[in-house]
Amino acid sequence: MTSVKMTVNGREVSGEVEGRTLLVQFLRDGQGLTGTHVGCDTSQCGACVVHVDGEAVKACTMLAAEADGAQVRTIEGMANEDGSLSTIQQAFQDHHGLQCGYCTPGMVMSAAALLKDNPKPSEHEVREYLEGNICRCTGYHNIVKAIMAASGQDVSRIAAE
Ligand code: FES
Ligand code: FES
């Protein structure tokens, strides 16, 4: 077993993990942060995306021990300080960017990482960025729309589907 310590959503946490313990297991099982989902065992779905030191990372592809000392942010840390939804979360709600919601935490975390690096992405850039996130419900259209709306762009030209 190895001791790990990291900051998760602004709170310092620590624990004992096995060498093979994945970051997603540490967050879900060790910290009870079950908003980070596991949707596959092939590292393809993106439901597990979190931020590690500001970068979007699939938490099923990283060992908990590798995140030792890191700043980690999960979907539970995305709301505003007063508990209201962040701009991206609100845009998903306003533009119906979710149905079952299983992919949504990963989508929101990926969207936040995209907008940090590219504050006004084109529709093509959003679609390209989301290649690592699978949604089985929405057909992606409203997710793209929500992300573009969250970036402050006019989405009225993006036809409803
Ligand atoms: Fe991590 Fe699917 S659970 S990519
Ligand atoms: Fe169901 Fe995306 S909303 S998988």
Side-chain angles (χ1 to χ4, degrees):
M1 299 290 270
T2 315
S3 299
V4 293
K5 196 191 281 189
M6 62 190 82
T7 304
V8 181
N9 301 329
R11 193 170 59 92
E12 200 163 278
V13 302
S14 58
E16 296 288 313
V17 297
E18 293 181 46
R20 63 182 177 178
T21 303
L22 299 171
L23 178 59
V24 70
Q25 295 171 314
F26 178 78
L27 294 170
R28 286 179 56 85
D29 305 336
Q31 304 303 318
L33 295 170
T34 53
T36 302
H37 291 163
V38 177
C40 71
D41 55 11
T42 52
S43 305
Q44 283 181 316
C45 76
C48 64
V49 172
V50 299
H51 296 173
V52 177
D53 293 332
E55 301 295 325
V57 168
K58 288 179 174 176
C60 72
T61 64
M62 187 174 197
L63 296 171
E66 291 179 297
D68 188 40
Q71 296 279 339
V72 178
R73 195 177 204 199
T74 70
I75 190 67
E76 287 89 349
M78 286 302 283
N80 296 320
E81 274 185 15
D82 64 1
S84 60
L85 296 178
S86 67
T87 303
I88 294 173
Q89 290 170 309
Q90 189 63 53
F92 269 69
Q93 181 170 313
D94 293 345
H95 294 278
H96 309 291
L98 65 150
Q99 288 181 28
C100 81
Y102 202 85
C103 70
T104 312
M107 289 289 184
V108 168
M109 300 311 286
S110 289
L114 167 64
L115 296 186
K116 178 168 74 72
D117 292 341
N118 183 357
K120 298 271 183 230
S122 66
E123 182 177 347
H124 176 74
E125 286 170 330
V126 174
R127 288 184 183 277
E128 199 167 61
Y129 193 85
L130 293 183
E131 271 183 12
N133 292 75
I134 293 173
C135 176
R136 294 194 180 279
C137 305
T138 66
Y140 301 95
H141 186 78
N142 287 348
I143 293 175
V144 174
K145 201 169 175 179
I147 295 171
M148 293 192 68
S151 74
Q153 300 186 78
D154 178 11
V155 293
S156 56
R157 67 183 175 80
I158 302 178
E161 256 186 15

